Amino acid sequence: MATIHPQWLEASAPPAYDSATGRAHLADLVMRIAAEHQDGAFGEALAASPVGDLLASVLSASPYLAGIARRSGAEIARLLSTSPGEYFELRSAEVVSALAAANTINEAMRALRQYKSAMAFSIALADAAGIDSTDLTVARLSDVAERSLGAALAFLFRQARERGEVLDSTGPADTHGGFFILGMGKLGARELNYSSDIDLVIFHEPGRLSLRPGLEPQVFLVRLVRLLVKLMQDQTADGYVFRTDLRLRPDPGSTQVVMTTDAAFNYYEGQGQNWERAAFIKARVVAGDRQAGEAFLSQLAPFIWRKYLDYAAIADIHAMKRQIHANKGFSEIRVAGHNIKLGRGGIREIEFFAQTQQLIAGGRQPELRLRRTVEALSGLAARGWITPEACRELTETYWFLRHVENRIQMVADEQTHVLPSDADRLRRLAAFSGFASVEEFASTLRRHLETVQNHYAALFEDVPELTTGKGNLVFVGDSADPATLETLTGMGFTQPEGVWQTVRSWHFGRYPAMRSARARERLTELQPRLIETLGQTAAPDAALAAFDRFLSELPAGIQLFGLLRSNPSLLSLLAMIMGTAPRLQALLSRRRRVLEAVLDPGFFGQLPSDDEVKRVVEAGFSASSDLQDALDRARVIASEQTFLIGVRLLSGVVSPIEAGLAYARLASRLLHRLQSAVRADFERQHGVLPGGDAALVGMGKLGGYEMTAASDLDLILIYDYEGETAASDGPRPLPGGQYFARFTQRLVSAVTSPTAEGRLYEVDMRLRPSGNSGPIATRLASFQSYQRDEAWTWEHMALTRARVLSGGEVLRSAVEAAIRAALLRPRDRVKLVEDVRAMRERIAVHKGGTSIWDIKTVRGGQVDLEFIVQFALLEAAARHPDVLHTNLPKAIARLGEVGALDAGATAICADAARLYAAVSEILALCISGPFVPADAPSDLKSLLAKTSESDDFGALAERLEAMQSAVCDLFERVVV
């Protein structure tokens, strides 16, 4: 007759939650033992012993354990007739034998699940009885997982050998040819909780596994791992073994479940993250080729344990914890509903407390490279990193919380760490945990949680807060945290899953800006505020996508992230750019340093003067070593200054008319300096012409100081030299006309050709005499005679905006005089009206717009406005020479002053010029194609309304339509 083992008879029972239910379960178990074990005396002795009280208490508190008892009377009798330790070794040996004899995967699955069920009951009962400490309980649970994995892997390899897939490895038969499994987290530390899943990372050394010819190792091993997962976690009538998580492997979204050690080293050395370093503190070989696994961990040690004091990594690790706290309910200590793992004062804080300090010091002090949490605390205390009191208190609390965690999970075998909110369930947990009342349990729990919180807060009191206070923002793991998705939705993102994937991908180092560990750490610190700021834009998903593109184009990120972290206003400006201005996004990607200029206190004051722009341009060109270098520097200056003008416009610091002036001033200075650089290089090859000189004339928006961020340059080049047959005196001499034609081509190429620094401007030279059919450069005498005798009316209209940008004083004066002479000619009004109207109709037929947002060419748009003003200038200039000005608003004002336009016409033109400039400047800055209001972000619409001083976008559209109608009517009234 079997007898109860003495160790069980010395057991103590926790307070009963429901005595009647417990006794009923006990009576049912006694009957099953009598029936299955055929030993009624054993059952009777059991009921009358302290073990009966233990079983009644445990079975009343745990429906899960009661269910096992109903199925396993004989097995429980077997358990109670041996000590817990002996039973563990006996059943572990039996499962190894069972899988060694199993012929099918179903047989293997059944044996593993019966083993797990027996171990689950045995370990829970020994823990509840006080026979096993919590320390031993978590170690036993870990050993069950490790032995299950080992037996399952041996079964799969045996089957593969029997199928002829695996031949022979180069080492012993049980090494699995360089294939090994690392247990991470609590499995690696031998600290599994009762219903824990197991985190595995799986690798293999190439060339170690001998397979049937034609069978690829990666294909074979991936299939094997999938079968291993099936063996472990598939739910059958016998239950499951362990839920298995493979997502801690490198970049789990894009890698297979098993990868080579070479690929792993490449990943960790180049892209490994700090949270992965923390995870590998606990990594341990749990199955497969242990020698290969240990060698891998040894080689990976420099990644995990840096030689210098790694304080910079701590913010990155700690950020995960504080982001978790942002979730509702984690920000304070409570009892009912408190998460004892992730909540304040919980298990995770103790683990982070130890791991962060291990990361700091473990590189120089190998004795701190300890997997188990309490051993790490002890090691830290021994080395003086924490006080003996902190070690003692945190160790005591750790085991208390692990004890409660196990009890929570033993109730229903659920992987939860949350204390019940229901009063009766909380009473059951308190009793199951060994407390006589909920009040006593709550008081003890609070004391422990507060102890942890105090130590944890002291350790990180100087680390800046990273959470936004608006919810959970956790971007680690392979699947999105539901609370994080909820937070993102609340922030205004319509595709939270996509946002989660994007943000998570930043930390895998796929972008150059994210390659360094320090850059990823700084982005982690910035991340919550960045996401919140992007969420405040009108189209958060589009703004985040733009920021992602911006990140992808950055060559480096650490300085930018540091700048944004310390300057919240700059972050808001960046979000605005991402939400509304793709052109500025592109400039910023290439010229990230321009953000630093925005921090200058004087940046948001007045625009740089012409002299200041000249100094910037001269400083850039003076440092150039050759023409190619000068071209690159011109593009750098242009893109940086264009960005700064655009930011001022976007921020409302300057008006659209002021921005147009700034763009044109910049282009004028760059052209003047480029002409000098190209000429110097040209003269080295072709020499100089006697008395030779060239003047650039800016037309259109460049000439009128009304450029936008997208404007091209309308140019004419006029030259002159002495004599008629002169040739240059260089190594490759050229006659005069050919000399300046070649020079003009070189100059245009210098402006338009893309270099490593991008493009400068597009150039349009169709306004030169005779247009595309004429020579690319015009001699002064030809220009004078053409304007006097041959130019069409429309060419003189264009000439009203001509401004000489460069050239010697003599040539400049001559060109300006020629332009003025052409414009001051008396006009036949009838012929002038006829020509202007004909040109207007030609444009309407070939280029006319139909939408009110086709600001330039729609009826009543910019072309009509300019034609009205140019008509009035040509008609009045002979009588009022001072009326001429290349700038449209100033020309309108002068026309009004002399009465060439009446007060009403002057007011309409001035209002239209301001409105059209506001809309065209913003659209040129923010979009590159046609403006379609239905597709436009609301931020852009709001910006258009604000810049044009309209109440809202609808009001702007009404103003624009009314203005175009008024200009159209005015044309009919003036050009007659």
Side-chain angles (χ1 to χ4, degrees):
M1 180 184 73
T3 59
I4 301 171
H5 192 278
Q7 203 167 1
W8 290 109
L9 293 174
E10 297 171 0
S12 59
Y17 159 65
D18 182 342
S19 297
T21 299
R23 284 293 161 184
H25 282 308
L26 178 61
D28 181 68
L29 177 61
V30 168
M31 290 176 59
R32 288 184 177 278
I33 290 174
E36 297 173 13
H37 201 52
Q38 297 182 346
D39 191 346
F42 184 88
E44 291 175 5
L46 180 64
S49 73
V51 186
D53 295 333
L54 169 65
L55 285 166
S57 177
V58 168
L59 299 179
S60 73
S62 171
Y64 169 66
L65 295 174
I68 294 177
R70 283 193 297 271
R71 300 189 303 270
S72 310
E75 189 64 32
I76 290 173
R78 184 184 180 199
L79 161 65
L80 295 173
S81 62
T82 61
S83 71
E86 291 169 342
Y87 182 76
F88 171 79
E89 294 298 339
L90 178 65
R91 289 297 280 115
S92 296
E94 288 176 351
V95 75
V96 171
S97 298
L99 266 75
N103 294 313
T104 67
I105 196 166
N106 287 336
E107 290 177 9
M109 291 173 72
R110 181 174 178 80
L112 284 167
R113 281 150 183 73
Q114 289 177 344
Y115 170 63
K116 170 63 185 300
S117 178
M119 289 294 95
F121 193 93
S122 166
I123 291 170
L125 195 64
D127 184 76
I131 297 173
D132 288 350
S133 65
T134 305
D135 188 352
L136 183 55
T137 295
V138 298
R140 283 246 171 92
L141 289 166
S142 305
D143 289 342
V144 170
E146 185 171 352
R147 298 198 187 199
S148 297
L149 281 168
L153 191 60
F155 166 77
L156 292 173
F157 265 91
R158 175 173 61 83
Q159 283 206 319
R161 286 189 177 91
E162 290 171 355
R163 290 192 300 269
E165 293 177 333
V166 174
L167 303 178
D168 248 343
S169 60
T170 58
D174 62 350
T175 63
H176 305 296
F179 173 89
F180 59 91
I181 300 175
L182 299 181
M184 309 293 284
K186 288 183 167 59
L187 173 59
R190 297 186 73 240
E191 296 173 338
L192 276 189
N193 54 54
Y194 189 77
S195 294
S196 179
D197 57 7
I198 52 175
D199 294 303
L200 307 178
V201 182
I202 306 176
F203 302 106
H204 73 97
E205 284 189 14
R208 290 284 306 281
L209 190 62
S210 182
L211 299 177
R212 182 184 63 208
L215 181 57
E216 288 292 328
Q218 188 69 17
V219 173
F220 167 75
L221 290 173
V222 167
R223 187 175 70 237
L224 181 138
V225 169
R226 297 198 186 283
L227 285 173
L228 179 65
V229 172
K230 176 182 177 69
L231 280 169
M232 296 300 291
Q233 74 174 17
D234 275 16
Q235 188 82 33
T236 72
D238 296 301
Y240 69 101
V241 190
F242 286 94
R243 291 174 293 270
T244 305
D245 192 337
L246 303 178
R247 293 174 297 178
L248 288 182
R249 69 184 185 274
D251 198 0
S254 58
T255 57
Q256 290 282 11
V257 291
V258 56
M259 65 192 303
T260 66
T261 52
D262 292 342
F265 286 130
N266 288 336
Y267 169 82
Y268 290 121
E269 289 169 5
Q271 303 173 43
Q273 301 172 58
N274 282 314
W275 69 264
E276 289 173 306
R277 293 177 56 209
F280 266 98
I281 289 176
K282 295 179 180 291
R284 179 172 60 89
V285 185
V286 294
D289 189 334
R290 293 182 179 271
Q291 183 178 2
E294 294 296 345
F296 173 83
L297 289 176
S298 178
Q299 289 178 274
L300 198 63
F303 163 69
I304 308 168
W305 308 107
R306 295 178 182 170
K307 290 297 182 185
Y308 54 89
L309 297 180
D310 195 14
Y311 289 102
I314 302 311
D316 197 32
I317 302 295
H318 185 52
M320 296 164 56
K321 176 62 181 152
R322 280 181 296 179
Q323 288 168 353
I324 290 168
H325 281 168
N327 195 10
K328 183 179 179 181
F330 287 2
S331 60
E332 59 184 15
I333 287 179
R334 53 182 178 167
V335 176
H338 192 69
N339 190 311
I340 63 168
K341 176 182 179 181
L342 303 180
R344 292 287 186 187
I347 296 165
R348 182 59 56 83
E349 286 191 350
I350 301 175
E351 293 172 335
F352 277 8
F353 183 94
Q355 288 173 352
T356 49
Q357 293 179 94
Q358 286 179 280
L359 285 179
I360 290 172
R364 292 179 177 238
Q365 298 174 2
E367 59 271 27
L368 294 178
R369 302 176 187 182
L370 301 163
R371 295 185 178 98
R372 307 201 80 200
T373 301
V374 294
E375 291 175 2
L377 291 171
S378 179
L380 289 167
R383 295 290 301 189
W385 285 91
I386 64 175
T387 66
E389 179 187 21
C391 176
R392 178 182 55 77
E393 290 180 348
L394 289 174
T395 298
E396 178 186 342
T397 295
Y398 179 77
W399 288 127
F400 174 78
L401 294 177
R402 295 303 308 276
H403 167 79
V404 174
E405 176 188 44
N406 283 337
R407 289 294 194 276
I408 293 172
Q409 297 179 354
M410 285 174 187
V411 171
D413 191 30
E414 294 176 340
Q415 191 183 12
T416 180
H417 311 274
V418 179
L419 295 166
S421 297
D422 175 81
D424 187 61
R425 292 182 178 178
L426 189 58
R427 182 175 67 83
R428 172 170 63 185
L429 177 64
F432 198 16
S433 300
F435 290 88
S437 68
V438 171
E439 291 73 22
E440 182 186 355
F441 172 69
S443 174
T444 304
L445 179 65
R446 281 185 181 278
R447 174 173 58 81
H448 281 294
L449 295 174
E450 288 168 358
T451 296
V452 176
Q453 188 178 36
N454 291 337
H455 285 295
Y456 190 77
L459 181 65
F460 293 108
E461 60 186 2
D462 295 326
V463 181
E465 187 61 43
L466 304 180
T467 56
T468 67
K470 291 194 174 182
N472 211 19
L473 286 175
V474 178
F475 296 96
V476 295
D478 189 49
S479 58
D481 170 37
T484 296
L485 299 183
E486 183 180 343
T487 300
L488 292 171
T489 301
M491 286 180 169
F493 294 95
T494 60
Q495 302 293 328
E497 184 83 35
V499 173
W500 184 87
Q501 290 285 3
T502 296
V503 175
R504 175 178 167 276
S505 72
W506 293 343
H507 294 276
F508 284 105
R510 297 192 184 105
Y511 297 158
M514 306 302 299
R515 293 278 160 79
S516 75
R518 184 66 60 85
R520 293 193 293 272
E521 289 160 10
R522 287 203 172 172
L523 182 59
T524 298
E525 297 174 355
L526 175 68
Q527 202 165 270
R529 197 177 341 130
L530 169 67
I531 294 166
E532 181 179 15
T533 305
L534 293 173
Q536 292 168 353
T537 62
D541 298 88
L544 181 83
F547 185 79
D548 181 59
R549 287 193 299 273
F550 168 61
L551 270 189
S552 72
E553 295 165 355
L554 280 180
I558 186 168
Q559 292 179 333
L560 173 66
F561 301 148
L563 196 65
L564 295 175
R565 180 176 175 271
S566 56
N567 295 277
S569 60
L570 196 60
L571 185 57
S572 298
L573 176 62
L574 184 63
M576 182 188 296
I577 292 171
M578 296 304 152
T580 60
R583 189 178 301 276
L584 291 185
Q585 293 170 26
L587 288 175
L588 184 57
S589 297
R590 296 195 303 270
R591 309 275 177 252
R592 61 197 181 283
R593 69 181 184 186
V594 296
L595 279 179
E596 298 176 11
V598 179
L599 298 178
D600 188 323
F603 175 79
F604 290 107
Q606 292 182 338
L607 283 164
S609 67
D610 190 46
D611 285 342
E612 289 171 326
V613 173
K614 180 180 179 181
R615 282 196 294 273
V616 170
V617 172
E618 289 297 329
F621 274 80
S622 63
S624 60
S625 57
D626 55 26
L627 179 60
Q628 184 59 50
D629 189 25
L631 301 188
D632 285 336
R633 289 176 184 274
R635 283 150 177 78
V636 171
I637 294 167
S639 59
E640 290 183 355
Q641 295 302 313
T642 296
F643 175 84
L644 297 176
I645 296 167
V647 167
R648 287 180 169 100
L649 176 60
L650 200 63
S651 305
V653 173
V654 301
S655 70
I657 288 176
E658 290 172 324
L661 169 64
Y663 287 130
R665 183 182 284 160
L666 172 65
S668 300
R669 283 297 172 189
L670 285 168
L671 285 170
H672 184 276
R673 195 64 182 78
L674 263 179
Q675 182 178 347
S676 298
V678 172
R679 182 165 185 168
D681 185 73
F682 190 78
E683 288 177 349
R684 278 192 290 272
Q685 299 176 47
H686 301 288
V688 297
L689 278 165
D693 197 6
L696 267 180
V697 180
M699 310 285 283
K701 292 188 181 301
L702 170 61
Y705 288 106
E706 298 161 34
M707 285 180 65
T708 70
S711 291
D712 56 11
L713 305 181
D714 291 303
L715 297 175
I716 297 174
L717 188 134
I718 301 169
Y719 65 89
D720 204 8
Y721 57 93
E722 296 176 359
E724 294 300 321
T725 60
S728 62
D729 60 3
R732 297 162 58 188
L734 293 170
Q738 188 178 357
Y739 181 95
F740 281 107
R742 292 265 189 95
F743 170 73
T744 304
Q745 290 169 340
R746 292 273 187 93
L747 179 58
V748 171
S749 177
V751 176
T752 60
S753 296
T755 75
E757 297 294 342
R759 291 184 179 274
L760 188 54
Y761 298 103
E762 294 296 334
V763 170
D764 189 341
M765 301 196 76
R766 289 175 296 178
L767 292 178
R768 67 185 187 269
S770 300
N772 286 340
S773 62
I776 193 170
T778 307
R779 192 168 184 181
L780 175 62
S782 297
F783 179 76
Q784 292 167 329
S785 63
Y786 181 86
Q787 297 299 338
R788 182 180 62 245
D789 304 325
E790 300 178 49
W792 295 67
T793 297
W794 70 264
E795 291 179 288
H796 283 175
M797 291 168 65
L799 214 58
T800 63
R801 313 194 75 185
R803 178 166 57 89
V804 182
L805 308 176
S806 65
E809 185 176 345
V810 173
L811 182 61
R812 286 179 67 111
S813 297
V815 173
E816 288 170 348
I819 293 170
R820 189 169 180 82
L823 296 177
L824 293 181
R825 287 174 49 191
R827 306 280 170 176
D828 178 344
R829 185 180 179 97
V830 174
K831 178 70 165 58
L832 183 61
V833 169
E834 181 182 319
D835 288 349
V836 172
R837 283 183 172 270
M839 191 63 191
R840 183 201 190 202
E841 290 307 314
R842 191 175 299 119
I843 290 175
V845 169
H846 296 290
K847 298 181 180 179
T850 57
S851 165
I852 63 171
W853 302 104
D854 296 326
I855 300 294
K856 182 176 180 179
T857 57
V858 70
R859 286 287 193 184
Q862 284 179 322
V863 168
D864 276 9
L865 174 63
E866 290 170 3
F867 275 24
I868 291 169
V869 175
Q870 290 164 2
F871 168 83
L873 288 171
L874 292 179
E875 197 278 332
R879 302 186 307 274
H880 306 286
D882 289 343
V883 79
L884 294 173
H885 200 289
T886 63
N887 177 257
L888 187 65
K890 290 183 179 179
I892 292 168
R894 291 186 180 188
L895 288 167
E897 290 170 1
V898 301
L901 290 175
D902 61 36
T906 302
I908 291 172
C909 288
D911 289 347
R914 283 193 298 272
L915 180 60
Y916 294 168
V919 174
S920 60
E921 287 286 355
I922 293 299
L923 290 181
L925 182 66
C926 295
I927 63 174
S928 56
F931 177 67
V932 181
D935 300 334
S938 55
D939 268 0
L940 177 54
K941 295 179 184 178
S942 298
L943 181 62
L944 282 165
K946 178 182 177 182
T947 307
S948 62
E949 300 179 344
S950 302
D951 292 338
D952 54 36
F953 183 75
L956 168 60
E958 292 175 2
R959 276 185 65 199
L960 201 55
E961 188 171 14
M963 185 62 73
Q964 290 166 358
S965 178
V967 170
C968 195
D969 291 344
L970 184 62
F971 183 94
E972 298 299 330
R973 181 163 66 86
V974 171
V975 187
V976 291

